[in-house]
Amino acid sequence: MDEIRAFLVGGIICALVQILMEKTKWMPGRIMVLLVVSGAILGSLGLYQPFIDWAGAGASVPLLGFGNTLWKGMQEAIGKEGFLGLFQGGFTASAVGISGALIFGYLAALLFEPKMKQ
C-alpha cells in the first residue's frame, strides 16, 4: 500500500505542476524555484515532514522534497555553526542528490546525442 500511496501522491504533484506549466506563461525555471521554495517554507512550518511520513517517496522525491531537504540541512547547520550554517547547511544536506544529478546527467550526455530544441 505504501508504494501505491507514493505513486499517487507523486503523480498528483507532477500533474498539478504540469497544469501550472500549461495554464501560465511561467518559464520552467521559475516553476522549479517556486517548488523548491515552497518545500522549504512548508518544511520550516513543520508541515512537510508529516506529509513525507505519510506519502513516502511520493513527497520526498519531487522538488518540494528537495526544498524540504535544504531547509532541514540549514536548520541543523545553524544549530551547530550559527549564522554560517545558513549558507553551508543546504549544500551539505543535498550534496549527494546534486552530485548524483550532475554525474548521471553527464553520463547521459556521453551515451546519447543531446540536441538543442528547435
Side-chain angles (χ1 to χ4, degrees), residues 1-19 35 48 51-52 54-65:
M1 191 64 184
D2 290 341
E3 291 84 4
I4 293 170
R5 187 179 311 129
F7 177 78
L8 290 175
V9 169
I12 290 169
I13 291 172
C14 291
L16 291 173
V17 171
Q18 188 65 40
I19 291 168
L35 291 169
Y48 206 73
F51 183 52
I52 289 174
W54 178 77
S60 64
V61 172
L63 284 174
L64 289 165

Short mmCIF file of all heavy atoms in Angstrom, two decimals, residues 1-19 35 48 51-52 54-65:
data_model
loop_
_atom_site.label_atom_id
_atom_site.label_comp_id
_atom_site.label_asym_id
_atom_site.label_seq_id
_atom_site.Cartn_x
_atom_site.Cartn_y
_atom_site.Cartn_z
N MET A 1 0.81 -1.20 0.00
CA MET A 1 0.00 0.00 0.00
C MET A 1 0.85 1.27 0.00
O MET A 1 0.46 2.27 -0.58
CB MET A 1 -0.93 -0.05 1.23
CG MET A 1 -1.99 1.00 1.22
SD MET A 1 -3.09 0.73 -0.16
CE MET A 1 -4.13 2.11 -0.03
N ASP A 2 2.03 1.20 0.66
CA ASP A 2 2.92 2.37 0.69
C ASP A 2 3.36 2.79 -0.71
O ASP A 2 3.43 3.98 -1.01
CB ASP A 2 4.15 2.09 1.55
CG ASP A 2 3.82 1.98 3.02
OD1 ASP A 2 2.74 2.46 3.43
OD2 ASP A 2 4.63 1.41 3.77
N GLU A 3 3.64 1.80 -1.56
CA GLU A 3 4.09 2.11 -2.92
C GLU A 3 2.97 2.78 -3.73
O GLU A 3 3.23 3.71 -4.49
CB GLU A 3 4.57 0.84 -3.64
CG GLU A 3 5.84 0.26 -3.08
CD GLU A 3 5.62 -0.65 -1.88
OE1 GLU A 3 4.43 -0.91 -1.50
OE2 GLU A 3 6.62 -1.09 -1.30
N ILE A 4 1.76 2.29 -3.55
CA ILE A 4 0.63 2.87 -4.28
C ILE A 4 0.40 4.31 -3.82
O ILE A 4 0.19 5.22 -4.64
CB ILE A 4 -0.65 2.02 -4.08
CG1 ILE A 4 -0.45 0.66 -4.74
CG2 ILE A 4 -1.88 2.73 -4.61
CD1 ILE A 4 -1.53 -0.35 -4.42
N ARG A 5 0.48 4.55 -2.52
CA ARG A 5 0.30 5.91 -1.98
C ARG A 5 1.39 6.84 -2.52
O ARG A 5 1.10 7.96 -2.96
CB ARG A 5 0.33 5.88 -0.46
CG ARG A 5 -0.01 7.23 0.14
CD ARG A 5 0.00 7.24 1.66
NE ARG A 5 -0.76 6.14 2.23
CZ ARG A 5 -0.27 5.33 3.17
NH1 ARG A 5 0.94 5.49 3.65
NH2 ARG A 5 -1.01 4.36 3.65
N ALA A 6 2.64 6.36 -2.52
CA ALA A 6 3.75 7.19 -3.04
C ALA A 6 3.54 7.49 -4.52
O ALA A 6 3.76 8.62 -4.97
CB ALA A 6 5.08 6.47 -2.81
N PHE A 7 3.13 6.48 -5.28
CA PHE A 7 2.89 6.67 -6.71
C PHE A 7 1.79 7.69 -6.95
O PHE A 7 1.93 8.59 -7.80
CB PHE A 7 2.53 5.32 -7.35
CG PHE A 7 2.19 5.42 -8.80
CD1 PHE A 7 3.19 5.54 -9.75
CD2 PHE A 7 0.86 5.39 -9.23
CE1 PHE A 7 2.88 5.62 -11.10
CE2 PHE A 7 0.54 5.47 -10.57
CZ PHE A 7 1.55 5.59 -11.51
N LEU A 8 0.69 7.59 -6.22
CA LEU A 8 -0.43 8.51 -6.40
C LEU A 8 -0.07 9.93 -5.99
O LEU A 8 -0.38 10.89 -6.69
CB LEU A 8 -1.65 8.02 -5.63
CG LEU A 8 -2.31 6.75 -6.18
CD1 LEU A 8 -3.43 6.29 -5.26
CD2 LEU A 8 -2.83 6.98 -7.59
N VAL A 9 0.59 10.08 -4.86
CA VAL A 9 0.97 11.42 -4.39
C VAL A 9 1.96 12.06 -5.35
O VAL A 9 1.80 13.23 -5.74
CB VAL A 9 1.54 11.36 -2.95
CG1 VAL A 9 2.16 12.69 -2.56
CG2 VAL A 9 0.45 11.00 -1.97
N GLY A 10 2.99 11.32 -5.75
CA GLY A 10 3.95 11.85 -6.71
C GLY A 10 3.29 12.21 -8.03
O GLY A 10 3.59 13.25 -8.63
N GLY A 11 2.37 11.37 -8.48
CA GLY A 11 1.65 11.65 -9.72
C GLY A 11 0.78 12.88 -9.62
O GLY A 11 0.70 13.68 -10.57
N ILE A 12 0.12 13.06 -8.48
CA ILE A 12 -0.72 14.25 -8.30
C ILE A 12 0.14 15.51 -8.28
O ILE A 12 -0.22 16.52 -8.90
CB ILE A 12 -1.56 14.11 -7.01
CG1 ILE A 12 -2.64 13.05 -7.21
CG2 ILE A 12 -2.18 15.45 -6.61
CD1 ILE A 12 -3.36 12.64 -5.94
N ILE A 13 1.28 15.46 -7.59
CA ILE A 13 2.18 16.62 -7.57
C ILE A 13 2.63 16.95 -8.99
O ILE A 13 2.59 18.11 -9.42
CB ILE A 13 3.38 16.38 -6.64
CG1 ILE A 13 2.93 16.34 -5.18
CG2 ILE A 13 4.46 17.45 -6.85
CD1 ILE A 13 4.01 15.90 -4.21
N CYS A 14 3.05 15.94 -9.74
CA CYS A 14 3.51 16.17 -11.11
C CYS A 14 2.39 16.68 -12.01
O CYS A 14 2.60 17.56 -12.84
CB CYS A 14 4.10 14.89 -11.69
SG CYS A 14 5.65 14.42 -10.91
N ALA A 15 1.17 16.15 -11.83
CA ALA A 15 0.04 16.61 -12.63
C ALA A 15 -0.28 18.07 -12.33
O ALA A 15 -0.55 18.86 -13.24
CB ALA A 15 -1.17 15.73 -12.38
N LEU A 16 -0.25 18.45 -11.05
CA LEU A 16 -0.52 19.84 -10.69
C LEU A 16 0.54 20.78 -11.27
O LEU A 16 0.21 21.88 -11.74
CB LEU A 16 -0.59 19.98 -9.17
CG LEU A 16 -1.80 19.33 -8.51
CD1 LEU A 16 -1.68 19.40 -6.98
CD2 LEU A 16 -3.09 19.97 -8.98
N VAL A 17 1.78 20.35 -11.25
CA VAL A 17 2.86 21.17 -11.82
C VAL A 17 2.68 21.28 -13.33
O VAL A 17 2.88 22.35 -13.92
CB VAL A 17 4.24 20.61 -11.45
CG1 VAL A 17 5.34 21.32 -12.21
CG2 VAL A 17 4.47 20.74 -9.95
N GLN A 18 2.29 20.18 -13.98
CA GLN A 18 2.05 20.21 -15.43
C GLN A 18 0.93 21.18 -15.77
O GLN A 18 1.03 21.95 -16.72
CB GLN A 18 1.72 18.82 -15.95
CG GLN A 18 1.65 18.73 -17.46
CD GLN A 18 2.99 19.00 -18.12
OE1 GLN A 18 4.02 18.57 -17.64
NE2 GLN A 18 2.96 19.71 -19.22
N ILE A 19 -0.14 21.17 -14.98
CA ILE A 19 -1.24 22.12 -15.19
C ILE A 19 -0.74 23.54 -15.01
O ILE A 19 -1.07 24.43 -15.81
CB ILE A 19 -2.41 21.81 -14.23
CG1 ILE A 19 -3.08 20.49 -14.62
CG2 ILE A 19 -3.42 22.95 -14.21
CD1 ILE A 19 -4.05 19.95 -13.58
N LEU A 35 8.69 25.61 -6.56
CA LEU A 35 8.54 24.34 -5.87
C LEU A 35 9.57 24.17 -4.76
O LEU A 35 9.24 23.74 -3.65
CB LEU A 35 8.65 23.18 -6.87
CG LEU A 35 7.49 23.07 -7.86
CD1 LEU A 35 7.83 22.07 -8.95
CD2 LEU A 35 6.22 22.68 -7.14
N TYR A 48 5.73 19.81 6.18
CA TYR A 48 6.14 18.90 5.11
C TYR A 48 6.60 17.54 5.63
O TYR A 48 6.37 16.53 4.98
CB TYR A 48 7.21 19.54 4.22
CG TYR A 48 7.19 18.95 2.83
CD1 TYR A 48 6.17 19.28 1.95
CD2 TYR A 48 8.15 18.05 2.41
CE1 TYR A 48 6.12 18.73 0.69
CE2 TYR A 48 8.10 17.50 1.15
CZ TYR A 48 7.08 17.85 0.29
OH TYR A 48 7.02 17.29 -0.96
N PHE A 51 3.85 15.08 6.00
CA PHE A 51 3.42 14.70 4.66
C PHE A 51 4.36 13.64 4.07
O PHE A 51 3.91 12.66 3.48
CB PHE A 51 3.36 15.95 3.78
CG PHE A 51 2.85 15.71 2.39
CD1 PHE A 51 1.66 15.05 2.17
CD2 PHE A 51 3.57 16.16 1.30
CE1 PHE A 51 1.18 14.84 0.88
CE2 PHE A 51 3.11 15.95 0.01
CZ PHE A 51 1.91 15.29 -0.20
N ILE A 52 5.68 13.81 4.26
CA ILE A 52 6.64 12.81 3.80
C ILE A 52 6.45 11.50 4.55
O ILE A 52 6.51 10.42 3.96
CB ILE A 52 8.09 13.33 3.97
CG1 ILE A 52 8.39 14.43 2.96
CG2 ILE A 52 9.10 12.19 3.82
CD1 ILE A 52 9.74 15.09 3.14
N TRP A 54 3.77 10.30 5.66
CA TRP A 54 2.57 9.64 5.16
C TRP A 54 2.74 9.17 3.71
O TRP A 54 2.37 8.06 3.36
CB TRP A 54 1.38 10.60 5.26
CG TRP A 54 0.12 10.02 4.73
CD1 TRP A 54 -0.68 9.11 5.34
CD2 TRP A 54 -0.48 10.31 3.46
NE1 TRP A 54 -1.74 8.81 4.53
CE2 TRP A 54 -1.63 9.54 3.37
CE3 TRP A 54 -0.14 11.15 2.40
CZ2 TRP A 54 -2.47 9.57 2.26
CZ3 TRP A 54 -0.97 11.19 1.31
CH2 TRP A 54 -2.11 10.41 1.24
N ALA A 55 3.32 10.03 2.84
CA ALA A 55 3.37 9.74 1.41
C ALA A 55 4.66 9.08 0.97
O ALA A 55 4.74 8.60 -0.16
CB ALA A 55 3.16 11.03 0.63
N GLY A 56 5.69 9.07 1.78
CA GLY A 56 6.95 8.43 1.42
C GLY A 56 7.64 9.12 0.26
O GLY A 56 7.69 10.35 0.18
N ALA A 57 8.16 8.31 -0.68
CA ALA A 57 8.92 8.85 -1.80
C ALA A 57 8.08 9.73 -2.72
O ALA A 57 8.62 10.56 -3.44
CB ALA A 57 9.55 7.72 -2.60
N GLY A 58 6.77 9.56 -2.69
CA GLY A 58 5.91 10.41 -3.50
C GLY A 58 5.99 11.88 -3.11
O GLY A 58 5.73 12.76 -3.91
N ALA A 59 6.40 12.15 -1.87
CA ALA A 59 6.54 13.52 -1.40
C ALA A 59 8.00 13.94 -1.27
O ALA A 59 8.31 15.12 -1.35
CB ALA A 59 5.85 13.70 -0.06
N SER A 60 8.90 12.98 -1.07
CA SER A 60 10.30 13.36 -0.85
C SER A 60 11.09 13.49 -2.13
O SER A 60 12.10 14.19 -2.16
CB SER A 60 10.98 12.36 0.09
OG SER A 60 11.04 11.08 -0.50
N VAL A 61 10.68 12.85 -3.21
CA VAL A 61 11.45 12.88 -4.44
C VAL A 61 11.21 14.14 -5.28
O VAL A 61 12.16 14.69 -5.83
CB VAL A 61 11.20 11.59 -5.27
CG1 VAL A 61 11.83 11.67 -6.64
CG2 VAL A 61 11.74 10.38 -4.51
N PRO A 62 9.97 14.65 -5.42
CA PRO A 62 9.78 15.87 -6.22
C PRO A 62 10.54 17.07 -5.63
O PRO A 62 11.08 17.01 -4.53
CB PRO A 62 8.28 16.10 -6.16
CG PRO A 62 7.69 14.79 -5.83
CD PRO A 62 8.70 14.11 -4.95
N LEU A 63 10.55 18.15 -6.39
CA LEU A 63 11.30 19.33 -5.97
C LEU A 63 10.82 19.92 -4.64
O LEU A 63 11.60 20.57 -3.95
CB LEU A 63 11.24 20.41 -7.05
CG LEU A 63 12.14 20.14 -8.26
CD1 LEU A 63 11.90 21.18 -9.34
CD2 LEU A 63 13.59 20.12 -7.87
N LEU A 64 9.59 19.68 -4.28
CA LEU A 64 9.14 20.11 -2.96
C LEU A 64 9.97 19.43 -1.87
O LEU A 64 10.36 20.05 -0.88
CB LEU A 64 7.66 19.75 -2.76
CG LEU A 64 6.65 20.54 -3.58
CD1 LEU A 64 5.30 19.83 -3.56
CD2 LEU A 64 6.54 21.94 -3.06
N GLY A 65 10.26 18.16 -2.06
CA GLY A 65 11.09 17.41 -1.11
C GLY A 65 12.51 17.93 -1.07
O GLY A 65 13.16 17.94 -0.02
#
